[in-house]
Amino acid sequence: MFDVLSSLGAVEPSHGVADELYSSDLRPGVVDGIGELTEDDLPLPPEARARLLPRLAEPGPLVRLTPLGTRAVRERLLADGRDAPLLGELADAPAGELLGVLAQHYTQETAAAELDGWLAAHGGDVEPLLDAVRACPFRTRASAMLSTLVKALPGGRSTQARLRPVSRFRKPGEAPSRTGCRSP
């Protein structure tokens, strides 16, 4: 089967030892992204795990998806109604949608890369993103959007300071306070 996929350009065959990831849920212990696994949580019976674990530690045939294979798998996931984001696909998204999706579905590193692409497509203008945070009526969501923006932008803290609309809370001629709120 892998020979056929290789001839179609969907996979690249190689040889080596499988990544630790493939055996991580076959032993009790802590697994990244899953948590603590006990004997009862493991997906296979003990005798099947005893046969499989040594085989995974031995060198053998491996395959890696090519860009064509990755695209085909992504299309299949989307057809099944699963989430399969593609870096760069949000470049034309509205600012609020971008920040919402980044906050919910992206790691900090991929959020930064996606945000870079969005900024490049919008002339580097951060103001629409800040306006989206300001306009969000749900404070928890706005907070998540702002946190994502601050973490993903170089110099994000200075951008956060630009979000504070202190002028709306001051009396004419009054100096702004450190908190952005006027004193009573």
Side-chain angles (χ1 to χ4, degrees), residues 22-116:
Y22 296 102
S23 61
S24 62
D25 65 347
L26 298 177
R27 292 185 285 271
V30 177
V31 177
D32 287 340
I34 296 175
E36 181 75 29
L37 290 178
T38 65
E39 283 288 333
D40 294 334
D41 299 323
L42 300 176
L44 298 173
E47 52 279 351
R49 292 193 320 261
R51 285 190 315 269
L52 188 55
L53 281 168
R55 298 274 322 266
L56 287 171
E58 298 172 0
L62 301 174
V63 294
R64 177 188 321 255
L65 287 174
T66 64
L68 176 64
T70 301
R71 181 180 172 148
V73 169
R74 180 175 186 272
E75 293 297 323
R76 179 61 195 200
L77 289 170
L78 291 173
D80 286 345
R82 300 208 176 195
D83 186 37
L86 180 64
L87 200 57
E89 72 181 344
L90 296 175
D92 295 325
E97 183 179 315
L98 170 79
L99 290 175
V101 171
L102 295 182
Q104 283 188 287
H105 300 289
Y106 281 63
T107 65
Q108 189 171 337
E109 295 78 24
T110 56
E114 189 72 56
L115 185 61
D116 285 345

Side-chain angles (χ1 to χ4, degrees), residues 159-171:
T159 301
Q160 183 178 11
R162 290 173 36 200
L163 185 63
R164 295 186 183 124
V166 294
S167 61
R168 293 192 312 179
F169 300 105
R170 293 185 300 188
K171 294 178 186 173

